Amino acid sequence: MFSRLVYRNAKRSRKENFIYFATLVTAIASFYIILSLGRQDVILFLKEFESDSINKLLAQMPIVYAFALFLLFFLILFANRYQLHRRSQEFGLYLMLGMRKERLILHLLAEGFITSIFALILGLFIGAFLAELISLAVSRLVGQGIIGHQLSLSVGAVISTIIGFLFIQFLALVILGGKLFNQEVQQLLYEQMDKKQNMGHFKGNILTILVGSVLLGVAYWIVLDRFMDFGGLLLFVALALGSVGTILFMKGLGKFLGLLAGLFKHKSTKGLHTFTLRQFQENIANRYISVAVTSILITLSIILIANGTSSVISLENVFTRTSSVYDFTVNGDNQKIKQFLTSEKMVPYVEDLNLLEIGKMKHQDEQTEDGMPLSLVDWSKLREQIIMALPSNYKEQILSGEAQSYSVSSENPEALNLFGVLEMDTRTPYLIPESSYNGLLKAIGEKPLNLQSNEIALYFNPDFMPMKNLESMPVLDQILEKAAKEGQSLMSIHDQAIYIRPSLPMRGLVADRSVPIFSAFIVPDDMFKQLLDMETYVSYWNFRIPHRLQDEQGLMTPMMEARDVLKSAGFKFESYLQNFGRQLFYVVAGSYTVLYMGFLFLIIACTLLALQFLTQMKQTGQRYVTLSMLGAKRNQMKKSMHRQVLLTFLLPMSLACVSGAVGIRAMVSFLIIHFKDNALLYPIALSFACIVIVIFVIYGVAVARSADHEIDKLRWKPNID
C-alpha cells in the first residue's frame, strides 16, 4: 500500500510539475555531456598535439560540474519548496489519517528517489545521444575524415552524474523534510496566511528606481571605458554595482507598476486590465530579489553564449591558412633528409621541396662600453627616418630616452612596431639566403627576388608580428621609395652601403613554430656565406602535400599518412597539423565550457521564473474564484493569466538584453569576443539568438498551460461559461 501510494504520487507529481522534471532531465543530460568531454573524438584527436593543454582543460571539468551542481541544488530546493507548499493540505490529511511524521518524511524521500531515477534514466539517455551527436558533428566538420568516429559511453561520466545528482536531491529533500517535520497539522491543512506585502511609498520607490538606474549606469560606464583597468579588477566592481543596481531597480518598480495601472482608468473595467497589472505588480514587488537574480543569470547567459558563438565562428579560421605555406618541416642532417624525402616512399607526398638555411650575422671583434659585441650593421639613417614617422608622443619618448623597452602590438602604430623590432634585432640580425626565400616565393607563385650584391630585403615574420598586412607597410614603403629616388642608402653592413628592397610577400618560414623569429635580413647567397656566424647556423627542409592528392583526398588524409611515414623513419619534424590542432584547441576550449555554462544559466533562470509564477498562482488561486462570482468568464481569466506570464518573462529579459548588449560591446572592443566581418557571422549569431528565444517561448507556453490547468482545478460557481 505504501509503495503504491509513493509510486502513484511520484507519477502525479511529474505530470503536474513537468517544467521542473524537464529541467532536471536537461541538467542531467548536460552533466553527462560535460563530464564525457574527454571521450569525444575531437578531444582524443587533439591529445596527439596539445596533450598538456587538453589535460588542463579536462582537469577543469570537475570544477565546472561542481559549480553546476551547486546552482542546481538551489533550484531543486526552491522547486521542492513549491511542491511542498502546493501539497501542504495533502500532507496534513495524511497526518490526520494517522501517518507518523517520520513515515511522511520517508514518503517524501521515496517520491524524490523515484522521480530522480526516472530523470536520471531519461537524462543519461538524452545526454549520451547528444554527446555522440556533438562528437560526430565536430569530427565531420573539423576532421574532414581524419577524426574517425567511434561510439563510446563514458562510464565515469555516468557514475559521477548519478552520484552528484542524487546527493544534491537527497540533501534538498532532507532540508525540506526537516521543515515539514516541524510544522503542525493545522498549518499544513489551512496553509500559512500570506504576509501583508509592503509596497512602500511612491517617492521612495521612484528614488529606489533612480538609484538602481544610476548604479547600472556606473557599471555600464566601467565596463565600456575601464574594462581592463587595474588588471581587470574593476570588472568585479562593475559586476557588484550592476547586481545591486538590478535588485534596486526591480524593487522600486512595484509602486511604479501600481501607478501605471491607475493611469489607464478607461481600461480599468474593460476585461481584467487592472487586475492583470496588479497581479504582475505584486509578483515583482514580493519577489524582486529572485526576479533580479533571474535577470542577472540571463545577462550572464547572453554574454557567455555570445562568447561561445564567437569561438564557433572562429572555427572557419582553423581551415584558413594565412601565413602558412608548408605542410611539413624536417630538421636534421641535410643529405640524409634530402635522400629520404626524394625516396620512392616519400615522393608521392612531397611537392615544392625547399631547403631553408638561417643563422645570425657575425659581429665585430670590438665591444661597446656595456660589454656587448659591436654590430656590423649601421642602420642609423633608417632609424632616424622611422622615428620621424612616429606620432609626436612616441617620438618625444624615444628622443628623450624615456622609452627603455618596446612592445609589438596590433594596437601600436606601424612605425612603432617597426622601430621596436628593428631596434631589438639589427644588432645581430638573422640572415636568410635569397635562394631559400625564392623557393618559398616559387611555392606561392610569386616572382623571385633577384637581389643585387648590395641589396637586401627586410623580412618580418607574420606568425609573430601582430600587424594587419605585412605585405603592405605604407610607412616603410614610403621611406624606402623616397630613398630609392634620391639614390640614398639607409643602411650599411661592414661599412658597405646597402640598399633595401621595398616590401615583399611575407609568409611563414616553416610549417609551425620551429623558427621563432620576429625579423631577418634576406641577403644574396654570397653575402650569407660571408656574414654568417656558423655557430648559429640551422637548416630545415620544407615541403607541401601535392595539389593532386589534396584534390583527390583532401589535405588532412595525405598529411596524416605522410606524418606516419616520417615517424617510422625517426626524423624530427613538425607539421601544419600542430598549428591546426593548436587553433582547434582554442576553439574547443573557448566554446564547449562557455556555451555549456551559458545555456545552463538560461535554463535555471527560466525555471526560476516559471516556478515563481506558479507559486504565486497557487497562493492567489482564490482570487480567480472570486472573479468568477463577480461575473468574469473563464477565458477572460486565462487571457489575463497569459498576459501575466508574458510580462513576468519579458521584464527580466528586457533588462538582461540591455546589460548583455553592454557586456558584449565591451568584450568586442577589448578583443575578448572576436567577431569578424564574414558571411557566417550573422547566420550563426541569429541561430543562437533564435535558440534563446525558443527556450523562453517553450518555458512561457509550459507555464501558461500549467496555470490553465490550475485554474481548471479550482471550484467554480455553476454555469460559469
Side-chain angles (χ1 to χ4, degrees):
M1 178 67 181
F2 179 75
S3 59
R4 277 188 293 175
L5 180 64
V6 169
Y7 180 79
R8 186 171 63 248
N9 285 344
K11 182 178 180 180
R12 186 192 64 188
S13 179
R14 290 194 302 274
K15 183 178 179 180
E16 293 180 349
N17 203 9
F18 180 76
I19 296 175
Y20 169 60
F21 181 73
T23 301
L24 291 184
V25 171
T26 304
I28 291 168
S30 68
F31 290 161
Y32 176 84
I33 290 172
I34 203 68
L35 288 174
S36 64
L37 185 61
R39 299 285 298 173
Q40 291 200 9
D41 300 322
V42 66
I43 299 298
L44 296 174
F45 171 74
L46 287 177
K47 277 188 175 181
E48 297 185 36
F49 314 106
E50 293 290 323
S51 58
D52 291 340
S53 299
I54 288 294
N55 290 334
K56 289 179 182 177
L57 175 65
L58 295 178
Q60 294 176 359
M61 292 304 103
I63 301 175
V64 175
Y65 173 58
F67 180 67
L69 281 178
F70 176 77
L71 294 177
L72 189 64
F73 167 73
F74 289 101
L75 179 64
I76 290 175
L77 194 65
F78 180 79
N80 281 315
R81 279 181 57 194
Y82 162 70
Q83 282 280 79
L84 292 181
H85 183 78
R86 186 174 61 85
R87 299 174 60 190
S88 60
Q89 291 182 341
E90 176 189 343
F91 292 144
L93 185 60
Y94 288 155
L95 295 178
M96 287 287 293
L97 293 174
M99 182 181 287
R100 291 180 291 109
K101 285 188 176 181
E102 292 82 357
R103 194 164 182 81
L104 179 61
I105 302 302
L106 182 62
H107 177 96
L108 180 65
L109 291 175
E111 275 191 36
F113 179 75
I114 292 175
T115 300
S116 299
I117 293 300
F118 277 99
L120 280 169
I121 293 173
L122 192 57
L124 287 173
F125 176 79
I126 294 174
F129 174 76
L130 290 178
E132 291 297 326
L133 192 64
I134 292 170
S135 182
L136 179 61
V138 174
S139 66
R140 290 295 177 267
L141 177 63
V142 174
Q144 298 180 340
I146 62 168
I147 306 178
H149 178 69
Q150 295 181 352
L151 292 175
S152 63
L153 179 68
S154 177
V155 178
V158 171
I159 295 173
S160 298
T161 301
I162 293 174
I163 292 175
F165 177 73
L166 289 180
F167 172 74
I168 61 172
Q169 181 80 300
F170 176 78
L171 185 62
L173 289 174
V174 167
I175 293 174
L176 293 173
K179 182 179 179 181
L180 179 64
F181 188 84
N182 292 325
Q183 286 186 319
E184 299 299 330
V185 176
Q186 63 271 17
Q187 290 178 300
L188 293 172
L189 285 173
Y190 301 106
E191 305 184 32
Q192 296 185 19
M193 296 295 293
D194 292 340
K195 296 180 180 179
K196 183 178 180 180
Q197 301 298 332
N198 181 14
M199 295 296 179
H201 299 287
F202 174 73
K203 292 182 179 179
N205 281 280
I206 292 297
L207 180 62
T208 304
I209 292 178
L210 291 176
V211 172
S213 301
V214 169
L215 291 178
L216 283 171
V218 173
Y220 295 160
W221 173 76
I222 291 174
V223 168
L224 291 173
D225 288 349
R226 295 289 183 268
F227 191 81
M228 299 303 292
D229 286 5
F230 302 102
L233 291 177
L234 276 183
L235 183 61
F236 294 99
V237 176
L239 183 61
L241 291 176
S243 300
V244 175
T246 302
I247 293 173
L248 292 178
F249 183 84
M250 293 297 180
K251 180 180 180 180
L253 198 60
K255 192 66 176 181
F256 181 77
L257 289 172
L259 176 65
L260 189 64
L263 288 177
F264 300 99
K265 295 186 181 298
H266 63 286
K267 288 186 176 182
S268 59
T269 57
K270 183 180 179 181
L272 297 174
H273 176 76
T274 302
F275 174 79
T276 301
L277 281 180
R278 292 294 186 190
Q279 284 282 97
F280 177 57
Q281 174 196 15
E282 183 178 327
N283 192 20
I284 298 301
N286 293 351
R287 300 176 178 86
Y288 65 89
I289 293 180
S290 62
V291 174
V293 169
T294 58
S295 182
I296 294 169
L297 287 175
I298 296 170
T299 299
L300 293 175
S301 100
I302 290 173
I303 294 174
L304 290 173
I305 290 173
N307 193 1
T309 304
S310 72
S311 297
V312 172
I313 292 174
S314 69
L315 184 63
E316 183 186 15
N317 298 330
V318 173
F319 305 105
T320 303
R321 300 182 65 168
T322 53
S323 64
S324 175
V325 174
Y326 296 111
D327 298 320
F328 285 92
T329 297
V330 187
N331 57 320
D333 182 84
N334 280 348
Q335 293 304 316
K336 287 184 178 180
I337 294 173
K338 185 176 182 180
Q339 289 175 3
F340 178 77
L341 295 179
T342 54
S343 65
E344 184 178 349
K345 187 183 294 185
M346 281 298 300
V347 162
Y349 303 105
V350 177
E351 186 176 75
D352 296 322
L353 183 63
N354 183 42
L355 173 64
L356 170 67
E357 299 178 286
I358 191 170
K360 285 197 170 186
M361 182 185 289
K362 295 177 182 177
H363 50 76
Q364 297 186 29
D365 295 332
E366 301 177 16
Q367 294 184 343
T368 60
E369 294 179 357
D370 56 3
M372 298 294 292
L374 198 60
S375 175
L376 293 175
V377 180
D378 179 8
W379 71 294
S380 56
K381 294 180 181 178
L382 177 60
R383 185 179 189 272
E384 180 182 345
Q385 292 295 322
I386 295 176
I387 290 175
M388 295 301 295
L390 287 169
S392 57
N393 55 333
Y394 294 109
K395 186 190 304 180
E396 292 174 2
Q397 292 178 11
I398 291 174
L399 292 176
S400 64
E402 293 180 16
Q404 298 296 323
S405 59
Y406 309 97
S407 62
V408 180
S409 169
S410 59
E411 303 298 318
N412 290 345
E414 176 196 331
L416 184 61
N417 281 334
L418 283 172
F419 181 82
V421 170
L422 293 175
E423 185 80 346
M424 293 184 293
D425 289 352
T426 51
R427 183 182 294 272
T428 53
Y430 281 96
L431 301 178
I432 301 173
E434 178 186 4
S435 58
S436 289
Y437 206 77
N438 279 342
L440 187 151
L441 293 176
K442 180 182 177 182
I444 61 175
E446 296 286 346
K447 295 180 180 179
L449 291 176
N450 295 323
L451 295 173
Q452 301 298 320
S453 59
N454 61 345
E455 278 188 320
I456 70 168
L458 295 177
Y459 171 78
F460 298 98
N461 193 339
D463 292 329
F464 295 93
M465 285 282 287
M467 296 173 65
K468 293 181 180 178
N469 188 1
L470 287 172
E471 296 185 10
S472 175
M473 294 184 284
V475 173
L476 181 61
D477 289 346
Q478 186 177 359
I479 292 172
L480 297 179
E481 288 171 5
K482 180 181 178 183
K485 289 179 181 179
E486 297 175 354
Q488 182 183 9
S489 169
L490 298 179
M491 182 184 294
S492 66
I493 299 178
H494 215 332
D495 297 328
Q496 178 187 354
I498 296 296
Y499 296 89
I500 304 173
R501 184 72 65 89
S503 60
L504 66 154
M506 303 291 178
R507 296 291 188 273
L509 297 174
V510 289
D512 192 30
R513 292 186 172 184
S514 57
V515 182
I517 64 172
F518 278 88
S519 68
F521 291 176
I522 302 174
V523 299
D525 288 16
D526 291 339
M527 186 184 297
F528 177 79
K529 294 176 182 178
Q530 294 172 6
L531 300 178
L532 177 66
D533 181 357
M534 289 303 299
E535 293 182 0
T536 64
Y537 174 79
V538 185
S539 63
Y540 305 88
W541 283 96
N542 295 309
F543 67 91
R544 307 169 74 184
I545 298 296
H547 287 285
R548 176 183 55 81
L549 277 182
Q550 294 185 42
D551 294 338
E552 293 175 357
Q553 306 177 29
L555 174 62
M556 293 302 173
T557 300
M559 191 179 292
M560 294 287 283
E561 294 174 358
R563 183 197 66 172
D564 293 339
V565 175
L566 285 169
K567 273 186 176 180
S568 65
F571 288 112
K572 185 178 180 181
F573 68 94
E574 67 178 19
S575 71
Y576 175 68
L577 279 175
Q578 292 168 280
N579 183 285
F580 174 84
R582 189 179 302 111
Q583 294 182 59
L584 182 58
F585 168 74
Y586 294 149
V587 172
V588 171
S591 60
Y592 270 57
T593 307
V594 172
L595 284 175
Y596 171 77
M597 294 305 302
F599 282 111
L600 185 64
F601 283 154
L602 181 62
I603 291 171
I604 289 176
C606 290
T607 307
L608 283 175
L609 285 174
L611 294 177
Q612 176 180 300
F613 183 87
L614 293 176
T615 300
Q616 188 209 29
M617 179 72 191
K618 173 67 177 177
Q619 292 174 341
T620 61
Q622 291 303 315
R623 297 179 187 179
Y624 292 91
V625 176
T626 304
L627 284 175
S628 70
M629 295 177 180
L630 295 175
K633 300 296 183 182
R634 189 178 311 214
N635 288 337
Q636 286 180 305
M637 287 182 274
K638 288 185 177 181
K639 186 179 293 184
S640 169
M641 183 272 303
H642 293 165
R643 288 174 181 169
Q644 293 173 46
V645 173
L646 180 63
L647 292 173
T648 299
F649 276 77
L650 278 183
L651 176 62
M653 182 66 175
S654 301
L655 184 57
C657 285
V658 176
S659 301
V662 171
I664 293 172
R665 180 70 185 86
M667 296 179 80
V668 169
S669 300
F670 290 95
L671 301 179
I672 294 175
I673 291 180
H674 302 276
F675 282 136
K676 293 188 177 181
D677 186 16
N678 56 49
L680 288 177
L681 170 60
Y682 294 105
I684 293 180
L686 181 62
S687 299
F688 277 98
C690 289
I691 291 173
V692 173
I693 293 172
V694 167
I695 291 174
F696 255 79
V697 170
I698 290 174
Y699 271 88
V701 171
V703 171
R705 290 174 65 89
S706 296
D708 283 346
H709 184 63
E710 290 292 329
I711 289 179
D712 290 335
K713 290 195 305 181
L714 294 174
R715 295 191 300 272
W716 303 99
K717 70 173 187 177
N719 302 322
I720 184 172
D721 293 327

